Amino acid sequence: MLSHASKRGIKSISTPRPNRYNRGQGLPILNSSVEAALERKAYTTPLRTGALGTKKGMMAMYDTETGRRFPCTVVQMDRVQVVSHKTRKLNGYFAVQVGSGWKHPSNVTRPLLGHYANNQVSPKRHLVEFKVRDETGLLGIGQTISPSWFQEGQFVDARANCRGMGFAGGMKKWGFKGQGRSHGVSKTHRSMGSAGQSQGGGSRVLPGKKMAGRMGGQQVTTQNVKVMKVDDEKGIVVLNGCIAGPDGCLVKLSDAIKKPWPNVPLHPSIASATIEPLGIAA
């Protein structure tokens, strides 16, 4: 019989040895921490914010020297402003919240109206976040981003939702061959056919199976698109080639991550202060 004073439990046979590592200041950052994740992503995180635009259509530009024809996409920027900031101290990362267009206050929810009122910005049609590497990429709230934010000749990444096709079959969505066209197939020429095994494969459809379903409508990123022309007066940015999405869709433009970062100031106010002395000296 055990006495009432004794306690049942599991005792360790070997006492833990003191560890002379992982003590004191200056410890390395754990690989599973949030700081380590942000540090790993710092190399591919843009130095400055992106901008929003509306795809207006396509046109052509010609090289006057060679006569070569370039198909181009016209993107119009409409009242693009900085609405808010995200900081690492409050949100865990640095980002710039950018809005474009205009929306009637009666069509905006009250929490969002309060968000615009606190930042003294008019209600926007579109609201998007752009991550930046550190606090130097945070623009002032209410600052306008014009097409000259991008330089002619630089490369950008264009993101837009591609055109939705609706519910599509296996032949249209995945390029399936289909069934035979001769005798022996009854009204299932475009049918997908078998979708899984029987008893040997678990009598189930494996995850990720290519089947009929909704096609299109997802975000598509077109990388390394060259900026052919910018026009602040008309508010347009002309891009080389085509980008995803129909005319009138929202386009998110940011500096290309697979090209060298453009050698431009992070703030437009710094740009004007840098250009003015050059003009006076000339």
Side-chain angles (χ1 to χ4, degrees):
M1 295 293 292
L2 294 173
S3 61
H4 294 285
S6 64
K7 296 182 179 179
R8 297 177 180 270
I10 301 174
K11 284 189 176 182
S12 176
I13 299 175
S14 61
T15 58
R17 297 180 180 179
N19 189 357
R20 62 190 181 92
Y21 301 103
N22 298 333
R23 288 186 176 184
Q25 301 294 330
L27 295 177
I29 300 175
L30 297 177
N31 293 331
S32 59
S33 62
V34 178
E35 292 78 7
L38 292 174
E39 187 177 351
R40 288 194 298 268
K41 297 178 182 178
Y43 184 75
T44 56
T45 304
L47 299 174
R48 59 181 194 155
T49 180
L52 300 177
T54 304
K55 182 179 176 180
K56 306 302 291 185
M58 295 194 67
M59 55 173 286
M61 294 182 67
Y62 292 88
D63 189 352
T64 57
E65 296 181 358
T66 62
R68 184 181 174 187
R69 180 182 183 272
F70 294 93
C72 300
T73 303
V74 180
V75 178
Q76 187 175 24
M77 298 172 60
D78 180 23
R79 290 167 282 189
V80 183
Q81 278 183 294
V82 177
V83 177
S84 179
H85 291 162
K86 294 293 181 69
T87 60
R88 184 176 295 183
K89 183 178 180 180
L90 297 177
N91 310 102
Y93 61 97
F94 291 104
V96 180
Q97 196 177 60
V98 179
S100 68
W102 182 81
K103 201 171 185 179
H104 198 277
S106 62
N107 294 328
V108 183
T109 59
R110 289 190 176 184
L112 200 54
L113 275 177
H115 177 64
Y116 290 126
N118 291 336
N119 296 316
Q120 298 181 357
V121 180
S122 61
K124 298 295 181 180
R125 172 68 58 180
H126 305 288
L127 199 62
V128 177
E129 273 188 14
F130 291 95
K131 279 190 175 183
V132 293
R133 182 179 298 180
D134 48 28
E135 63 275 3
T136 58
L138 301 178
L139 297 179
I141 295 178
Q143 188 167 343
T144 303
I145 301 177
S146 60
S148 59
W149 180 250
F150 302 103
Q151 285 185 333
E152 293 184 4
Q154 82 162 96
F155 293 89
V156 297
D157 292 340
R159 296 174 174 85
N161 291 334
C162 66
R163 185 167 58 93
M165 306 290 183
F167 194 93
M171 293 183 66
K172 181 177 181 180
K173 187 174 182 180
W174 302 109
F176 289 166
K177 180 181 178 181
Q179 306 288 339
R181 267 64 171 176
S182 62
H183 60 278
V185 180
S186 300
K187 300 180 181 179
T188 56
H189 307 290
R190 297 184 62 87
S191 177
M192 185 183 68
S194 175
Q197 308 87 347
S198 182
Q199 199 171 13
S203 300
R204 66 195 182 101
V205 178
L206 296 177
K209 170 66 179 172
K210 296 179 180 179
M211 303 175 68
R214 287 191 176 182
M215 180 179 176
Q218 71 272 13
Q219 180 176 273
V220 176
T221 302
T222 308
Q223 294 184 326
N224 304 332
V225 183
K226 188 177 182 180
V227 178
M228 304 293 288
K229 186 178 179 61
V230 294
D231 191 342
D232 282 345
E233 184 178 355
K234 297 180 180 178
I236 61 174
V237 178
V238 182
L239 306 176
N240 185 21
C242 61
I243 60 176
D247 294 348
C249 70
L250 178 68
V251 180
K252 292 174 271 189
L253 301 176
S254 59
D255 297 333
I257 63 173
K258 292 185 178 180
K259 295 287 185 179
W261 300 122
N263 188 15
V264 293
L266 299 179
H267 299 274
S269 58
I270 301 177
S272 60
T274 307
I275 294 173
E276 285 179 2
L278 294 177
I280 295 173

